[in-house]
Amino acid sequence: MSMSHLYGTDGDDGVEMENFEVSDWDLQNEFNPHRQRHRQTKEEATYGVWAERDSDEERPSFGGKRSRDYSAPVSFVSAGLRKAAAEELSDEDSDDDEKPVKQEEIPKEFVPKKLKTGGNFKPSQKGFVGGSKSFVDFGSWERHTKGIGQKLLQKMGYVPGRGLGKNAQGIINPIEAKQRKGKGAVGAYGSERTPQSLQDFPVVDSEEETEEEFQKELSQWRKDPNGGKKKPKYSYKTVEELKAKGRISKQLAAPQKELSQVKVIDMTGREQKVYYSYSQISHKHNIPDDSPQQPLGKDSKPQGFALPELEHNLQLLIDITEQEIIQSDRQLQYERDMVVNLSHEIQKMAEVLSHEEKAISNLSKVLDMVEECERRMQPGCENPLTLDECAKIFETLQDKYYEEYRMSDRVDLAVAIVYPLMKEYFKNWDPLKDCTYGTEIIAKWKSLLENDQLLSHSGQDLSTDAFHRLMWEIWMPYVRNIVARWQPRNCGSMVDFLDSWVNVVPVWILDNILDQLIFPKLQKEVESWNPLTDTVPIHSWIHPWLPLMQARLEPLYSPIRNKLANALQKWHPSDSSAKLILQPWKDVFTPGSWEAFMVKNIVPKLGMCLNELIINPHQQHMDAFYWVIDWEGMISVSSLVGLLEKHFFPKWLQVLCSWLSNSPNYEEITKWYLGWKSMFSDQVLAHPSIKDKFNEALDIMNRAVSSSVGGYMQPGARENIAYLTHTERRKDFQYEAMQERREAENMAQRGIGAAAGSVPMNFKDLIQTKAEEHNIVFMPVIGKRHEGKQLYTFGRIVIYIDRGVVFVQGEKTWVPTSLQSLIDMAK
């Protein structure tokens, strides 16, 4: 039995029920622990859901809790029906000014929908139109009880004879019960509505509508009691339309295709029905004609019989035929696509076949040429194969049959054909007499046999490259034999031989020759060399190997320096042969090692020579001075300046002072001063220490002529000395300006890229670089350390490096200094 007569039906406006929606206030205060909570009032505890609530108390407000009037009577609120919002609004306004409020003046979102009661009730009515049953005996059973129910209703404002609710809009009489005929479920015996519910709520129940629709669908398979039948309305489809439909349905997704091909058995009706897709179930009760059934007229002739089963079967046959047409069209399209695909495959296979036939033909030609070479290599052949003819054959293979040539095993082919011819070609070859013999033919075979994919030249795999194997097994034995008989001091022929073959021989083979054959011979010869007895200078047979061996000769330099140092122990600067022996090694040794060698072996000898020099203005012997100055290009400027400061200038200035104290001739002194100055080169004169010494001599001369005795004895001497001083110092300024201009030009030409190209790795390398630029000796002091740090000599200054800072040895402590200051002190 439907309960819609109690709560109303949900029509267009719907039944306005109790609203339990979540408001914005609930969302904002859900996680607020200090929010104001609703406390249950006495009215709510007593009357429960019938208690009247004020809308202002449903949510906390800023005005706090409003006091309520508990003396007012409790108003009844219906459980399922409410008065329309418009009526409630009109009642509230009537208390103020009795002025009706129009519905349009209230915002639509604040006006709830009207409630439908399901009957003919109007707001002005105090009860239902129906309700003929008397309410006199209503609640008569309470005479046997205390009557608490009646009392509660009266306290809540109920008036006997009127409906429930605030405006008496509810039903008057209680709900009537209807007994079912049997023990079936609800609705099993038809509608269970009572006459009272039909009178109060004449609206048709939704369940009854559903029952009528079901009975209507069920009657489609039953014979019409009037004997009439609808005129069928047929729709025709062509084969093309069915094909188009099949193509559209073919584009469905994979799951939809599977569902469209599922076989469905329907057993819900009297007969078993078979469907070929789920979509057909929705049309199982459809009939051809969509127009409503028309009653039979007087002139209409009833049909003799109706065969719904036959129509159903025919429809099934039509559907099956449609599916077969669609499937046939799809199969036809598939076969056409297959034909196109197979045609393309045939074309591809034809191309592959032609390519294979061409490859077979080329391979057969290559095989014929190889067999011809083998035949001509037989001992008794009339036309033997030569190395040049074999090279031409291989060139033909490489040009015309390149793919087959690359695919073939060139190593085995070369071993079988080329190696015997190559041995015969180099049988009588002497590399030292004819160093260029065979270079052209070997270069040709290199382009024919060398594997381009092998890029690494160290440790070649001989089994994968025919040319490298050819050079190692055929050419290399001749080289080993000739090197074993070669004398290192006759280096010209061997150097020429390797120079002519350096571009032909593989790199790893050339390295093997230099490291394993040449270097041991040179090392052994250096060990047996004696600079005091050998007439042939060592640089004449070592330096020609520099372009080929370069850094490989580094291990030979140390024993050469040791032997030269031993030979210079008893050397005197008057012997110029030492300079001729040492001069070729200046550019070979590193700058640091060369300077260290000079400082240790040459500079002390030159210092002794300067000590022996006697300065006599009247009879000067210059041989010792010339011996020292002759080494200017060999030793650094700083070393030469140190020698002059220590051994020459003190004696020279002393002689000048003695001469000036004995009434001298200032013209002779001026000539003597200029003569000594002309003995030095511009590079030496540009050094600050040399400038200071000559300026000191000028100052001594100026002081001498400024005294009364000197000026009186030789008039005009003061002006001559002053002019000399001015001229010399102007020359110094001009020379410094020219040097600065040259340095600026060099820096501009060097460019930024060259300056940034060689960046020192650490601070020590930076100091080494600066020392080399300024010709300053920078070397470690052997066996000397300070607080675990290695000590170095930077010129004449002792330093050590700690965490990127240079410390210079002072009088008592080590003082940190900058690199530029260190360079200035060293100069």
Side-chain angles (χ1 to χ4, degrees):
M1 179 177 179
S2 176
M3 303 297 289
S4 61
H5 62 284
L6 292 178
Y7 300 95
T9 58
D10 188 4
D12 297 334
D13 295 334
V15 178
E16 187 167 62
M17 307 297 289
E18 184 69 12
N19 190 4
F20 293 99
E21 295 180 355
V22 179
S23 63
D24 295 337
W25 185 91
D26 294 325
L27 295 175
Q28 296 174 2
N29 294 274
E30 175 65 24
F31 300 101
N32 183 13
H34 303 291
R35 68 180 184 274
Q36 184 177 353
R37 301 180 181 274
H38 176 70
R39 298 182 180 276
Q40 192 176 28
T41 63
K42 185 177 180 182
E43 290 286 332
E44 293 173 346
T46 304
Y47 301 108
V49 296
W50 287 282
E52 183 179 10
R53 292 185 178 89
D54 193 352
S55 60
D56 295 337
E57 294 182 358
E58 293 180 359
R59 297 286 187 270
S61 62
F62 296 101
K65 186 175 181 181
R66 190 177 67 178
S67 61
R68 297 185 61 185
D69 185 10
Y70 293 99
S71 62
V74 180
S75 59
F76 178 80
V77 180
S78 175
L81 299 174
R82 285 186 61 187
K83 184 182 176 182
E87 297 176 9
E88 294 178 357
L89 188 62
S90 62
D91 292 342
E92 292 174 1
D93 295 340
S94 62
D95 296 338
D96 299 330
D97 52 2
E98 298 296 334
K99 181 179 180 180
V101 181
K102 295 183 180 180
Q103 186 70 20
E104 293 78 12
E105 297 176 357
I106 304 174
K108 188 174 182 181
E109 59 271 17
F110 295 101
V111 179
K113 296 181 180 180
K114 293 183 179 181
L115 298 177
K116 284 192 176 182
T117 59
N120 297 328
F121 174 75
K122 296 182 180 179
S124 61
Q125 291 179 278
K126 299 300 182 181
F128 286 88
V129 177
S132 59
K133 186 176 180 180
S134 176
F135 54 84
V136 177
D137 56 349
F138 174 71
S140 58
W141 49 274
E142 285 191 341
R143 67 186 63 170
H144 305 290
T145 63
K146 295 181 180 181
I148 185 64
Q150 188 73 15
K151 292 177 183 179
L152 288 174
L153 288 174
Q154 290 178 359
K155 189 173 182 180
M156 287 186 286
Y158 171 69
V159 179
R162 298 181 63 183
L164 298 177
K166 185 176 181 181
N167 296 318
Q169 73 272 19
I171 62 175
I172 299 175
N173 296 321
I175 300 173
E176 293 182 358
K178 182 178 179 181
Q179 186 179 4
R180 298 195 188 107
K181 297 178 182 179
K183 297 182 179 180
V186 178
Y189 306 102
S191 176
E192 297 187 0
R193 295 187 63 177
T194 60
Q196 177 190 355
S197 65
L198 292 174
Q199 185 176 5
D200 291 342
F201 301 95
V203 179
V204 180
D205 193 1
S206 59
E207 294 182 3
E208 295 179 0
E209 294 177 354
T210 305
E211 179 65 22
E212 289 180 1
E213 292 177 359
F214 176 73
Q215 294 295 337
K216 184 177 179 181
E217 294 176 357
L218 191 61
S219 64
Q220 291 181 1
W221 295 103
R222 298 177 182 176
K223 186 176 180 181
D224 190 356
N226 298 325
K229 189 176 182 181
K230 297 180 181 179
K231 184 178 180 181
K233 184 178 180 181
Y234 300 101
S235 60
Y236 300 95
K237 296 181 180 178
T238 62
V239 177
E240 299 298 330
E241 292 176 353
L242 290 177
K243 292 180 180 180
K245 178 182 177 183
R247 295 189 185 97
I248 294 174
S249 62
K250 187 178 179 180
Q251 299 175 358
L252 295 175
Q256 295 180 351
K257 290 183 178 180
E258 295 176 359
L259 294 177
S260 64
Q261 298 177 0
V262 173
K263 182 178 181 181
V264 182
I265 300 176
D266 184 10
M267 302 183 68
T268 57
R270 298 181 179 180
E271 298 177 354
Q272 176 179 334
K273 303 173 184 177
V274 179
Y275 301 102
Y276 291 94
S277 64
Y278 285 117
S279 60
Q280 294 182 0
I281 300 178
S282 60
H283 306 291
K284 65 180 181 178
H285 295 306
N286 287 358
I287 56 177
D289 192 3
D290 296 334
S291 61
Q293 185 176 357
Q294 300 293 337
L296 294 175
K298 296 180 181 181
D299 299 334
S300 61
K301 295 181 181 180
Q303 295 182 353
F305 57 90
L307 297 175
E309 293 82 0
L310 180 59
E311 294 179 359
H312 173 70
N313 294 337
L314 290 175
Q315 185 64 36
L316 288 179
L317 293 174
I318 292 172
D319 294 341
I320 293 172
T321 306
E322 290 181 358
Q323 294 296 329
E324 291 178 353
I325 293 174
I326 293 173
Q327 292 295 336
S328 300
D329 180 64
R330 292 178 180 174
Q331 185 66 24
L332 179 61
Q333 187 63 32
Y334 172 77
E335 298 295 341
R336 289 175 179 172
D337 295 340
M338 184 61 69
V339 169
V340 174
N341 189 16
L342 291 177
S343 62
H344 289 301
E345 290 292 334
I346 291 174
Q347 293 179 359
K348 291 181 180 179
M349 291 298 106
E351 294 176 357
V352 172
L353 181 61
S354 61
H355 183 268
E356 296 293 338
E357 290 178 351
K358 183 178 179 182
I360 293 172
S361 175
N362 292 339
L363 287 175
S364 61
K365 294 179 181 178
V366 170
L367 184 60
D368 294 340
M369 296 176 68
V370 172
E371 291 177 350
E372 178 66 19
C373 292
E374 291 180 352
R375 186 186 63 80
R376 294 179 61 183
M377 290 182 63
Q378 297 299 326
C381 182
E382 298 179 357
N383 186 17
L385 185 65
T386 61
L387 194 60
D388 292 335
E389 293 176 352
C390 186
K392 293 180 181 179
I393 293 174
F394 272 76
E395 287 179 355
T396 304
L397 293 175
Q398 191 177 29
D399 295 339
K400 295 184 178 180
Y401 310 104
Y402 181 74
E403 293 296 333
E404 290 77 9
Y405 181 74
R406 290 181 61 87
M407 290 170 57
S408 62
D409 191 355
R410 283 176 281 179
V411 177
D412 295 339
L413 192 63
V415 169
I417 299 177
V418 182
Y419 285 16
L421 298 176
M422 194 68 69
K423 287 182 180 180
E424 184 67 23
Y425 184 80
F426 286 105
K427 182 173 61 176
N428 299 322
W429 175 49
D430 187 357
L432 298 181
K433 293 182 179 179
D434 190 0
C435 59
T436 60
Y437 178 78
T439 53
E440 295 180 0
I441 191 68
I442 293 296
K444 184 184 296 185
W445 280 107
K446 180 179 180 180
S447 62
L448 294 174
L449 299 178
E450 190 173 23
N451 191 352
D452 299 334
Q453 297 178 355
L454 292 177
L455 301 179
S456 176
H457 300 291
S458 59
Q460 291 287 344
D461 187 3
L462 298 179
S463 62
T464 57
D465 194 286
F467 177 72
H468 290 193
R469 183 175 175 181
L470 172 68
M471 297 299 294
W472 182 256
E473 296 182 359
I474 305 300
W475 183 82
M476 193 64 182
Y478 295 100
V479 178
R480 290 195 189 97
N481 294 332
I482 199 64
V483 171
R485 297 181 282 109
W486 166 68
Q487 293 298 324
R489 301 199 181 191
N490 299 326
C491 63
S493 58
M494 183 61 69
V495 171
D496 294 339
F497 163 69
L498 293 179
D499 282 338
S500 61
W501 284 87
V502 68
N503 295 324
V504 181
V505 179
V507 177
W508 66 276
I509 294 181
L510 181 62
D511 293 342
N512 181 270
I513 294 172
L514 296 176
D515 294 336
Q516 304 298 328
L517 301 179
I518 302 298
F519 182 78
K521 301 274 290 187
L522 292 177
Q523 189 175 21
K524 186 177 180 181
E525 191 67 22
V526 168
E527 291 176 355
S528 63
W529 170 68
N530 187 357
L532 297 177
T533 59
D534 288 345
T535 57
V536 179
I538 189 172
H539 65 270
S540 63
W541 49 272
I542 292 293
H543 289 183
W545 291 104
L546 286 173
L548 285 172
M549 303 188 70
Q550 296 179 353
R552 291 186 176 91
L553 295 176
E554 285 287 344
L556 301 179
Y557 297 157
S558 180
I560 290 174
R561 285 194 296 266
N562 293 333
K563 291 192 174 187
L564 289 175
N566 294 330
L568 291 172
Q569 289 180 357
K570 298 180 180 181
W571 169 77
H572 191 268
S574 60
D575 185 6
S576 62
S577 62
K579 183 180 178 183
L580 297 177
I581 295 175
L582 295 177
Q583 191 171 7
W585 293 98
K586 181 182 179 181
D587 297 331
V588 176
F589 295 156
T590 60
S593 60
W594 171 259
E595 186 64 22
F597 181 82
M598 290 287 106
V599 170
K600 183 179 179 181
N601 301 287
I602 302 299
V603 173
K605 302 285 186 181
L606 298 179
M608 293 172 59
C609 186
L610 284 178
N611 280 332
E612 298 172 359
L613 176 66
I614 299 174
I615 300 176
N616 186 2
H618 303 289
Q619 189 177 0
Q620 183 67 52
H621 296 282
M622 301 294 295
D623 294 337
F625 183 80
Y626 290 148
W627 296 338
V628 175
I629 294 298
D630 192 35
W631 285 88
E632 180 181 351
M634 300 292 291
I635 63 176
S636 62
V637 176
S638 59
S639 299
L640 181 59
V641 170
L643 288 173
L644 295 175
E645 285 182 337
K646 185 177 180 180
H647 303 288
F648 172 75
F649 279 106
K651 295 189 294 184
W652 187 75
L653 292 175
Q654 185 179 4
V655 170
L656 178 62
C657 292
S658 300
W659 194 1
L660 290 173
S661 61
N662 295 320
S663 301
N665 186 353
Y666 286 96
E667 293 182 359
E668 293 180 358
I669 292 177
T670 302
K671 293 180 180 178
W672 181 77
Y673 171 85
L674 294 175
W676 276 109
K677 193 173 183 180
S678 63
M679 295 292 179
F680 300 98
S681 64
D682 294 339
Q683 189 176 4
V684 175
L685 291 175
H687 197 276
S689 299
I690 304 299
K691 287 182 181 179
D692 294 340
K693 296 299 180 181
F694 280 105
N695 290 331
E696 185 179 354
L698 290 175
D699 294 338
I700 293 172
M701 295 165 64
N702 285 319
R703 285 196 300 269
V705 297
S706 298
S707 61
S708 59
V709 178
Y712 177 76
M713 290 181 64
Q714 189 173 353
R718 182 181 303 175
E719 289 77 7
N720 293 333
I721 298 300
Y723 178 76
L724 175 64
T725 304
H726 177 72
T727 304
E728 291 298 318
R729 291 182 177 175
R730 186 177 60 182
K731 289 180 180 179
D732 293 340
F733 292 147
Q734 291 177 352
Y735 183 79
E736 289 178 358
M738 183 176 63
Q739 288 295 111
E740 292 178 357
R741 185 167 59 253
R742 287 178 181 177
E743 290 180 0
E745 292 176 356
N746 293 335
M747 290 295 295
Q749 293 177 358
R750 200 176 302 170
I752 300 175
S758 57
V759 179
M761 297 300 293
N762 50 36
F763 193 61
K764 180 184 174 183
D765 295 339
L766 179 61
I767 296 175
Q768 178 71 30
T769 304
K770 292 295 183 181
E772 292 177 359
E773 290 178 358
H774 295 84
N775 294 323
I776 299 174
V777 179
F778 176 67
M779 58 186 298
V781 180
I782 301 174
K784 298 292 184 179
R785 290 182 176 271
H786 175 72
E787 295 181 354
K789 306 294 189 304
Q790 175 67 46
L791 296 181
Y792 300 90
T793 56
F794 192 83
R796 293 174 298 170
I797 304 171
V798 180
I799 65 172
Y800 76 89
I801 305 170
D802 186 13
R803 298 179 182 178
V805 179
V806 179
F807 291 85
V808 180
Q809 187 178 16
E811 295 180 357
K812 296 182 180 180
T813 60
W814 293 85
V815 182
T817 184
S818 64
L819 185 58
Q820 186 61 40
S821 300
L822 179 65
I823 295 172
D824 295 339
M825 287 189 292
K827 288 183 177 181

Coordinates of all heavy atoms in Angstrom, one line a residue, residues 409-437:
D409 N 85.9 -12.0 -45.7 CA 86.9 -12.1 -44.6 C 88.3 -11.7 -45.3 O 89.0 -12.5 -45.9 CB 87.0 -13.5 -44.1 CG 87.9 -13.5 -42.8 OD1 88.5 -12.5 -42.5 OD2 88.0 -14.6 -42.2
R410 N 88.6 -10.4 -45.2 CA 89.8 -9.9 -45.9 C 91.1 -10.4 -45.3 O 92.1 -10.5 -45.9 CB 89.8 -8.4 -45.8 CG 88.9 -7.7 -46.8 CD 88.8 -6.2 -46.6 NE 88.0 -5.8 -45.5 CZ 87.8 -4.6 -45.1 NH1 88.4 -3.6 -45.8 NH2 87.0 -4.3 -44.1
V411 N 91.0 -10.8 -44.0 CA 92.2 -11.3 -43.4 C 92.7 -12.6 -44.0 O 93.8 -12.8 -44.4 CB 92.0 -11.5 -41.8 CG1 93.2 -12.1 -41.2 CG2 91.7 -10.1 -41.2
D412 N 91.7 -13.5 -44.1 CA 92.1 -14.8 -44.7 C 92.4 -14.7 -46.2 O 93.3 -15.4 -46.7 CB 90.9 -15.8 -44.6 CG 90.6 -16.1 -43.1 OD1 91.5 -15.9 -42.3 OD2 89.5 -16.5 -42.8
L413 N 91.7 -13.8 -46.9 CA 92.0 -13.6 -48.3 C 93.4 -13.0 -48.5 O 94.2 -13.4 -49.4 CB 91.0 -12.6 -48.9 CG 91.0 -12.5 -50.4 CD1 90.6 -13.8 -51.0 CD2 90.0 -11.4 -50.8
A414 N 93.8 -12.0 -47.6 CA 95.1 -11.4 -47.7 C 96.2 -12.4 -47.3 O 97.3 -12.5 -48.0 CB 95.2 -10.2 -46.8
V415 N 96.0 -13.2 -46.3 CA 97.0 -14.2 -45.9 C 97.2 -15.2 -47.0 O 98.4 -15.6 -47.3 CB 96.5 -14.9 -44.6 CG1 97.4 -16.2 -44.3 CG2 96.5 -14.0 -43.4
A416 N 96.2 -15.6 -47.7 CA 96.3 -16.6 -48.8 C 96.9 -16.1 -50.0 O 97.7 -16.8 -50.7 CB 94.9 -17.2 -49.1
I417 N 96.7 -14.8 -50.4 CA 97.1 -14.3 -51.7 C 98.2 -13.3 -51.5 O 99.3 -13.3 -52.2 CB 95.9 -13.7 -52.4 CG1 94.8 -14.8 -52.7 CG2 96.3 -13.0 -53.7 CD1 93.6 -14.2 -53.3
V418 N 98.0 -12.3 -50.6 CA 98.9 -11.1 -50.6 C 100.2 -11.4 -49.9 O 101.3 -11.0 -50.3 CB 98.2 -9.9 -50.0 CG1 99.1 -8.7 -50.0 CG2 96.9 -9.6 -50.7
Y419 N 100.2 -12.2 -48.8 CA 101.4 -12.4 -47.9 C 102.5 -13.0 -48.7 O 103.7 -12.6 -48.6 CB 101.0 -13.2 -46.7 CG 100.3 -12.4 -45.7 CD1 99.7 -11.2 -46.0 CD2 100.2 -12.9 -44.4 CE1 99.0 -10.5 -45.0 CE2 99.5 -12.1 -43.4 CZ 98.9 -10.9 -43.7 OH 98.2 -10.2 -42.8
P420 N 102.3 -14.1 -49.5 CA 103.4 -14.6 -50.2 C 104.0 -13.7 -51.2 O 105.2 -13.6 -51.4 CB 102.7 -15.8 -50.9 CG 101.6 -16.2 -50.1 CD 101.0 -14.9 -49.6
L421 N 103.1 -12.9 -51.9 CA 103.6 -11.9 -52.8 C 104.4 -10.8 -52.1 O 105.5 -10.3 -52.6 CB 102.5 -11.3 -53.6 CG 101.7 -12.2 -54.4 CD1 100.5 -11.5 -55.1 CD2 102.5 -12.9 -55.5
M422 N 104.0 -10.4 -50.9 CA 104.7 -9.4 -50.1 C 106.1 -9.9 -49.7 O 107.1 -9.1 -49.7 CB 103.9 -8.9 -48.9 CG 104.3 -7.7 -48.3 SD 104.1 -6.2 -49.3 CE 102.3 -6.1 -49.3
K423 N 106.2 -11.1 -49.2 CA 107.5 -11.6 -48.8 C 108.4 -11.7 -50.0 O 109.6 -11.3 -49.9 CB 107.3 -13.1 -48.3 CG 106.7 -13.1 -46.9 CD 106.6 -14.6 -46.5 CE 105.9 -14.6 -45.1 NZ 105.8 -16.0 -44.6
E424 N 107.9 -12.0 -51.2 CA 108.8 -12.0 -52.3 C 109.2 -10.6 -52.7 O 110.4 -10.4 -53.2 CB 108.0 -12.6 -53.5 CG 108.8 -12.8 -54.8 CD 109.9 -13.8 -54.6 OE1 109.9 -14.7 -53.7 OE2 110.9 -13.8 -55.4
Y425 N 108.4 -9.6 -52.5 CA 108.7 -8.2 -52.9 C 109.8 -7.7 -52.0 O 110.6 -6.9 -52.4 CB 107.4 -7.4 -52.8 CG 107.5 -6.0 -53.2 CD1 107.5 -5.6 -54.6 CD2 107.7 -4.9 -52.3 CE1 107.7 -4.3 -55.0 CE2 107.9 -3.6 -52.7 CZ 107.8 -3.3 -54.0 OH 108.0 -2.0 -54.4
F426 N 109.8 -7.9 -50.6 CA 110.7 -7.4 -49.7 C 111.9 -8.3 -49.4 O 112.6 -8.2 -48.4 CB 110.0 -7.0 -48.4 CG 109.2 -5.8 -48.5 CD1 107.8 -5.9 -48.5 CD2 109.7 -4.5 -48.5 CE1 107.0 -4.8 -48.6 CE2 108.9 -3.4 -48.6 CZ 107.6 -3.5 -48.6
K427 N 112.1 -9.3 -50.3 CA 113.1 -10.3 -50.0 C 114.5 -9.8 -49.9 O 115.3 -10.1 -48.9 CB 113.1 -11.4 -51.0 CG 114.0 -12.6 -50.8 CD 113.8 -13.7 -51.8 CE 114.0 -13.2 -53.2 NZ 113.8 -14.3 -54.2
N428 N 114.9 -8.9 -50.8 CA 116.3 -8.3 -50.8 C 116.3 -6.9 -50.4 O 117.2 -6.1 -50.8 CB 116.8 -8.4 -52.2 CG 116.9 -9.9 -52.7 OD1 117.3 -10.8 -51.9 ND2 116.6 -10.1 -53.9
W429 N 115.4 -6.4 -49.5 CA 115.3 -5.0 -49.1 C 116.2 -4.7 -48.0 O 116.3 -5.4 -46.9 CB 113.9 -4.7 -48.8 CG 113.6 -3.3 -48.2 CD1 114.0 -2.2 -48.8 CD2 112.9 -3.0 -47.0 NE1 113.6 -1.1 -48.1 CE2 112.9 -1.6 -47.0 CE3 112.3 -3.7 -46.1 CZ2 112.3 -0.9 -45.9 CZ3 111.6 -3.0 -45.0 CH2 111.7 -1.6 -45.0
D430 N 117.0 -3.6 -48.1 CA 117.8 -3.0 -47.0 C 117.3 -1.7 -46.6 O 117.4 -0.7 -47.3 CB 119.3 -2.9 -47.4 CG 120.2 -2.5 -46.3 OD1 119.7 -2.3 -45.2 OD2 121.4 -2.5 -46.5
P431 N 116.6 -1.5 -45.4 CA 115.9 -0.3 -45.1 C 116.9 0.9 -45.0 O 116.5 2.0 -45.3 CB 115.3 -0.6 -43.8 CG 115.1 -2.1 -43.7 CD 116.3 -2.6 -44.5
L432 N 118.1 0.7 -44.5 CA 119.0 1.9 -44.3 C 119.6 2.4 -45.6 O 119.9 3.6 -45.7 CB 120.1 1.5 -43.4 CG 119.7 1.1 -42.0 CD1 120.9 0.7 -41.1 CD2 118.9 2.2 -41.3
K433 N 119.7 1.5 -46.7 CA 120.2 2.0 -48.0 C 119.1 2.6 -48.8 O 119.3 3.6 -49.5 CB 120.9 0.8 -48.7 CG 122.1 0.3 -48.0 CD 122.8 -0.8 -48.7 CE 124.0 -1.3 -48.1 NZ 124.7 -2.4 -48.8
D434 N 118.0 1.9 -48.9 CA 116.8 2.4 -49.7 C 115.6 2.5 -48.7 O 114.8 1.6 -48.6 CB 116.6 1.5 -50.8 CG 115.6 2.1 -51.8 OD1 115.1 3.2 -51.6 OD2 115.2 1.4 -52.8
C435 N 115.5 3.7 -48.1 CA 114.5 3.8 -47.0 C 113.1 4.0 -47.6 O 112.1 3.7 -46.9 CB 114.9 5.0 -46.1 SG 115.0 6.6 -47.0
T436 N 113.0 4.5 -48.8 CA 111.6 4.7 -49.4 C 111.1 3.5 -50.2 O 110.1 3.6 -50.8 CB 111.7 6.0 -50.3 OG1 112.6 5.8 -51.3 CG2 112.1 7.2 -49.5
Y437 N 111.9 2.4 -50.3 CA 111.5 1.3 -51.1 C 110.2 0.7 -50.5 O 110.1 0.3 -49.3 CB 112.6 0.3 -51.1 CG 112.3 -1.0 -51.8 CD1 112.3 -1.0 -53.2 CD2 111.9 -2.2 -51.2 CE1 112.1 -2.2 -53.9 CE2 111.6 -3.3 -51.9 CZ 111.7 -3.3 -53.3 OH 111.3 -4.5 -54.0

